[in-house]
Amino acid sequence: MIKMAGRIVCLGIESTAHTFGVGIVKSDGSVLSNVASVYKTKKGWGIIPKDAAEHHKRVKKDVLKKALCKAKLKLEDIDIVSFSQGPGLPLSLRVGMDFVKELSSKTNKPVYGVNHCIAHIEIGMLKTKSKDPVTLYVSGGNTQVIAFTGGRYRCFGETMDIAIGNALDMFARKVGMDYPGGPKIERFAKKGKYVELPYVVKGMDTSFTGIVSEAVRKFKQGAKIEDLCFSLQETCFAMLTEITERALAHTGKDEVLLTGGVAANGRLQQMLKTMCKDRGARFFVVPKEFAGDNGSMIAWTGILSAMSGQMPVSLDKTDIKPRWRTDELDIMWR
Ligand code: ATP
Ligand code: FE2
């Protein structure tokens, strides 16, 4: 087990999809650096896993160098290393894990494998000081309503098909905008009016593909892009607010935390805030710098793992976990 006396410094590597990131975080929660490079797709294209992995290989050394430089540390000053072990795209994940193996063979530091989704929640709690929230985790690859009960982060609701970020990116791509679509849709939506789109909530779960198809169909028929962006946001975000509200009621918790790349959206924040106000719950949103994929969330979760007595991974035996679920893990630090 890692030394408990004094403060430890963790270097975390994020490499699940578009982003290659390195963050350096201290066990008191201070973030010393958070550097990332994001693979950009060609206009009209989705992610090409091989190209994303090539991007990560190309930038990894430079991102690490910048992160160390910004933290004013050398590799030898780092106590532990963590990496996002899953879920994510296998080719991207592998670049991160191979890089960790390379670093650890040089430095011999203990290595911790981190669940990417849990890292989004933990960085959100660290940065907002929320204690026991219902978390709405919304990104390009994930849409989940999560709360901590019985020793695990349990999933109360999720998408039945694609994630909300993916839905926004897909619509954007089909109408000629490049990745990431979310911020562009948000800008167009400010000038839009409502046109009807299907609203799909089943129990605690959502579905977005039909909504995107209908919005694209209306675009081809000449509907205004501003109106479609506005309606897409209003519909999808109302669905997410509905399932989050129900999870609050089920669990009896009184905090909501919004995290993941789509947490940057002002309209989604506003809807959840209003819902929370009506229910007497407190609303927290992860700061923008920590909303999307980043290395510091992996570093912070690495620290929590190490400090709670979790064993480091043995690098010759461990592998990536592309389908690692949020609720598969016993959480030792709560
Ligand atoms: P994960 O692996 O957790 O699924 P990811 O690879 O999608 O993450 P993130 O950086 O967490 O990466 O999220 C990126 C997503 O966030 C993209 O789908 C992007 O369109 C969306 N996004 C970013 N900013 C906004 C915004 N202002 N409004 C809506 N969506 C946004
Ligand atoms: Fe993510």
Side-chain angles (χ1 to χ4, degrees), residues 114-191:
V114 165
N115 179 294
H116 175 91
C117 306
I118 290 175
H120 271 294
I121 303 174
E122 290 298 347
I123 196 76
M125 289 174 69
L126 172 71
K127 286 289 157 189
T128 63
K129 300 194 168 61
S130 53
K131 295 277 174 290
D132 184 23
V134 166
T135 300
L136 176 62
Y137 163 39
V138 277
S139 64
N142 292 280
T143 299
Q144 297 181 341
V145 179
I146 303 158
F148 187 76
T149 57
R152 291 187 178 196
Y153 284 111
R154 315 248 173 209
C155 191
F156 283 80
E158 61 194 318
T159 180
M160 294 179 287
D161 43 44
I162 56 173
I164 174 64
N166 189 2
L168 297 172
D169 296 335
M170 190 186 280
F171 173 76
R173 191 164 75 236
K174 293 204 170 160
V175 301
M177 304 175 205
D178 54 6
Y179 178 88
K184 287 147 205 147
I185 291 175
E186 183 171 18
R187 277 198 297 278
F188 277 116
K190 293 207 163 81
K191 296 192 202 95

Side-chain angles (χ1 to χ4, degrees), residues 2-11 24-32 73 76-80 109 299-300 302-304 306-307:
I2 190 80
K3 62 175 183 190
M4 286 300 162
R7 289 187 175 161
I8 59 168
V9 177
C10 180
L11 181 142
I24 301 176
V25 176
K26 262 168 54 176
S27 48
D28 65 358
S30 50
V31 175
L32 305 181
L73 292 175
E76 304 84 79
D77 303 324
I78 302 293
D79 298 302
I80 61 172
K109 307 290 179 189
W300 174 238
I303 284 183
L304 293 172
M307 305 273 282

Side-chain angles (χ1 to χ4, degrees), residues 33-291:
S33 65
N34 190 31
V35 179
S37 171
V38 181
Y39 153 79
K40 297 269 182 240
T41 54
K42 281 181 275 179
K43 211 170 181 152
W45 288 67
I47 187 166
I48 302 168
K50 202 163 117 312
D51 289 359
E54 285 306 322
H55 163 269
H56 295 353
K57 279 185 205 158
R58 215 168 36 244
V59 301
K60 62 184 186 184
K61 285 205 174 118
D62 188 46
V63 173
L64 172 69
K65 209 168 121 192
K66 283 188 182 137
L68 286 167
C69 178
K70 201 153 175 233
K72 300 193 176 67
L73 292 175
K74 296 198 196 61
L75 205 48
E76 304 84 79
D77 303 324
I78 302 293
D79 298 302
I80 61 172
V81 177
S82 60
F83 71 106
S84 50
Q85 196 165 11
L89 301 172
L91 291 177
S92 291
L93 286 169
R94 202 160 289 286
V95 179
M97 191 183 69
D98 289 347
F99 194 41
V100 162
K101 287 187 179 174
E102 201 183 309
L103 293 181
S104 104
S105 70
K106 280 188 206 149
T107 60
N108 233 344
K109 307 290 179 189
V111 173
Y112 293 83
V114 165
N115 179 294
H116 175 91
C117 306
I118 290 175
H120 271 294
I121 303 174
E122 290 298 347
I123 196 76
M125 289 174 69
L126 172 71
K127 286 289 157 189
T128 63
K129 300 194 168 61
S130 53
K131 295 277 174 290
D132 184 23
V134 166
T135 300
L136 176 62
Y137 163 39
V138 277
S139 64
N142 292 280
T143 299
Q144 297 181 341
V145 179
I146 303 158
F148 187 76
T149 57
R152 291 187 178 196
Y153 284 111
R154 315 248 173 209
C155 191
F156 283 80
E158 61 194 318
T159 180
M160 294 179 287
D161 43 44
I162 56 173
I164 174 64
N166 189 2
L168 297 172
D169 296 335
M170 190 186 280
F171 173 76
R173 191 164 75 236
K174 293 204 170 160
V175 301
M177 304 175 205
D178 54 6
Y179 178 88
K184 287 147 205 147
I185 291 175
E186 183 171 18
R187 277 198 297 278
F188 277 116
K190 293 207 163 81
K191 296 192 202 95
K193 289 195 304 290
Y194 185 71
V195 292
E196 198 168 329
L197 293 175
Y199 182 99
V200 193
V201 172
K202 294 209 170 97
M204 291 292 284
D205 297 329
T206 59
S207 156
F208 298 111
T209 46
I211 304 174
V212 172
S213 304
E214 178 59 13
V216 171
R217 200 176 66 81
K218 283 200 156 77
F219 177 76
K220 287 183 179 154
Q221 288 173 342
K224 274 174 66 183
I225 187 71
E226 290 85 354
D227 293 350
L228 291 170
C229 290
F230 175 79
S231 308
L232 201 57
Q233 286 202 161
E234 292 304 299
T235 307
C236 297
F237 296 167
M239 288 160 50
L240 293 170
T241 305
E242 182 191 326
I243 60 169
T244 307
E245 179 170 23
R246 212 168 310 134
L248 264 183
H250 282 333
T251 57
K253 295 194 194 284
D254 59 5
E255 294 179 340
V256 168
L257 169 66
L258 176 62
T259 190
V262 185
N265 190 287
R267 180 60 182 140
L268 177 59
Q269 292 175 13
Q270 195 183 40
M271 278 194 197
L272 289 163
K273 203 170 172 177
T274 308
M275 180 274 284
C276 285
K277 201 164 163 230
D278 289 349
R279 294 194 63 92
R282 292 195 301 157
F283 176 62
F284 301 90
V285 56
V286 68
K288 202 164 179 164
E289 184 193 349
F290 302 99

